[in-house]
Amino acid sequence: MHGLKKRSKIDAAKVQQYSLWLIPNIEEIYRYMKQTYTNISVLSSMMLPVVSVLRKELGLHHPTTDKWRQEANELRIQATQETAHNIPDKDFKTFQEICCRRDAIKRRIDSDPANTTDYWKWFALCLYTMQPPLRADWVALSIIDSVDKASPGQNHLVHTSDKAVILIQHDKVSHRKGGAHIPVTDELHSVLLDSIRQFPRSVVVPYTYKSSQNPLHRSYSPDKHISKVNLSKLLSQAMASPQDNTQWPRPIQGLRKAHSTLVMSSNASYHTMKQVADAQRHSVSTMLCHYNAVSPCCSIEDGTKASTLEERISSAMQQTCLCHSNVIIMTHGCESHGDESPAWTLFCSIPDLQEPAEQGLAIIQDACSSRGQ
């Protein structure tokens, strides 16, 4: 069943056949999984499709369903807590480090304006540090001066002398979240104005190439987009270690993680985190779980508030929520997406909230709407 991937493409007869085979053999399947999958995160993930079938065939409160669901919950909590206490990996760079490297490159450009090789490195870092970092969507942005000129299904930078807006019509999450109009910060807008004036073009990040023996000079194609691979390479080269020229692996993911970590380590309010998450085209829960180099298990000094948060969420979600200390693991059917498999989301009690219960519920709603990121 795992190999069939998308649920919409699974034949109904095969699903029924799978269910009829699974129920009588459930104990044997349980023993096999326990022996085969030694990684607790993998084990819990493999148990989820079985839980989904058990819920449908036996019911939510059947003892067998409860047994599988409870163990999957406990394994996921354990895996999440182990991950949360891991120190950042060796390739993690703080947002401050990245900005320092960007500014150092700018100083080299100022001292040698003909150095276009460094210019494009600096420009790429500006895109990812002066604005909440997108994925690799910058590679597909064409420049237009009016929304009316936007091509259907294409992404654009709507750019004028007064402001700029990123128009997203198609990306990794557009089928679920829809499109977006993301305002460009004043700082980045100023960089874009100067860049387009200096290097006239119809795309935000153009394809560049060597045109001479001078390693400090690169020509560009004004109407040709850079590829995702070359953008990643450009960012990796920009962050290369000056000592041994070691390049940064997965730079776009690293930039997004560094920015999210900066926001969350500053005890940002939920409203601020939601704004940043929207600009990065994911949810607050995704930011907490996957783009955070600090522990997501934040404590609240006021035990009464923490208790109220857990009670309110438990009451609202009833059987769909399991509260464990300050960490909440939620399972939700997300029937509105036509998906019966549980959605797992990690939430943390965010410090310095006026109404922690409302904030917690808001995060839950946010996570349910962003199933599968």
Side-chain angles (χ1 to χ4, degrees), residues 28-95:
E28 183 178 348
I29 292 170
Y30 179 80
R31 287 192 296 271
Y32 174 82
M33 284 189 173
K34 296 283 284 187
Q35 294 171 0
T36 305
Y37 303 111
T38 56
N39 183 294
I40 58 175
S41 180
V42 173
L43 176 58
S44 65
S45 297
M46 296 299 291
M47 292 177 76
L48 290 179
V50 179
V51 174
S52 183
V53 173
L54 293 175
R55 287 175 59 191
K56 182 177 181 179
E57 300 296 329
L58 302 180
L60 180 63
H61 303 295
H62 191 279
T64 304
T65 306
D66 283 341
K67 171 187 174 181
W68 279 74
R69 184 176 59 185
Q70 182 177 352
E71 179 152 356
N73 283 356
E74 292 173 352
L75 288 170
R76 180 60 58 146
I77 291 172
Q78 183 181 345
T80 301
Q81 289 177 331
E82 289 181 1
T83 301
H85 289 89
N86 287 341
I87 60 173
D89 61 73
K90 63 182 179 62
D91 295 320
F92 176 74
K93 298 183 187 298
T94 67
F95 197 72

Side-chain angles (χ1 to χ4, degrees), residues 287-338:
M287 188 163 73
L288 287 165
C289 292
H290 303 297
Y291 291 101
N292 187 6
V294 298
S295 172
C297 306
C298 307
S299 62
I300 287 185
E301 295 180 1
D302 186 338
T304 305
K305 285 186 178 181
S307 175
T308 301
L309 174 63
E310 293 181 358
E311 289 171 5
R312 291 277 297 276
I313 293 175
S314 294
S315 174
M317 302 303 291
Q318 295 181 351
Q319 300 297 326
T320 64
C321 193
L322 169 66
C323 297
H324 178 78
S325 183
N326 286 329
V327 180
I328 300 168
I329 300 292
M330 183 194 72
T331 62
H332 191 279
C334 295
E335 287 80 7
S336 61
H337 294 280

Side-chain angles (χ1 to χ4, degrees), residues 98-160:
I98 297 166
C99 289
C100 285
R101 181 62 58 83
R102 179 199 68 196
D103 296 342
I105 296 174
K106 183 63 167 67
R107 288 192 291 271
R108 293 206 301 264
I109 299 168
D110 291 341
S111 63
D112 181 9
N115 184 354
T116 54
T117 296
D118 276 345
Y119 175 85
W120 293 113
K121 294 176 185 178
W122 171 79
F123 179 74
L125 284 178
C126 288
L127 297 178
Y128 283 89
T129 55
M130 295 180 178
Q131 181 90 9
L134 291 170
R135 298 180 180 87
D137 301 301
W138 285 108
V139 303
L141 293 187
S142 297
I143 302 171
I144 55 178
D145 57 14
S146 171
V147 176
D148 297 335
K149 297 181 180 179
S151 302
Q154 301 297 316
N155 300 333
H156 299 277
L157 177 72
V158 185
H159 185 266
T160 66

Side-chain angles (χ1 to χ4, degrees), residues 1 9-10 73 99 115 120 138 168 202 233 270 285 296 303 351 357:
M1 292 298 289
K9 295 184 178 180
I10 299 177
N73 283 356
C99 289
N115 184 354
W120 293 113
W138 285 108
I168 300 292
S202 63
K233 186 183 296 184
Y270 172 76
S285 54

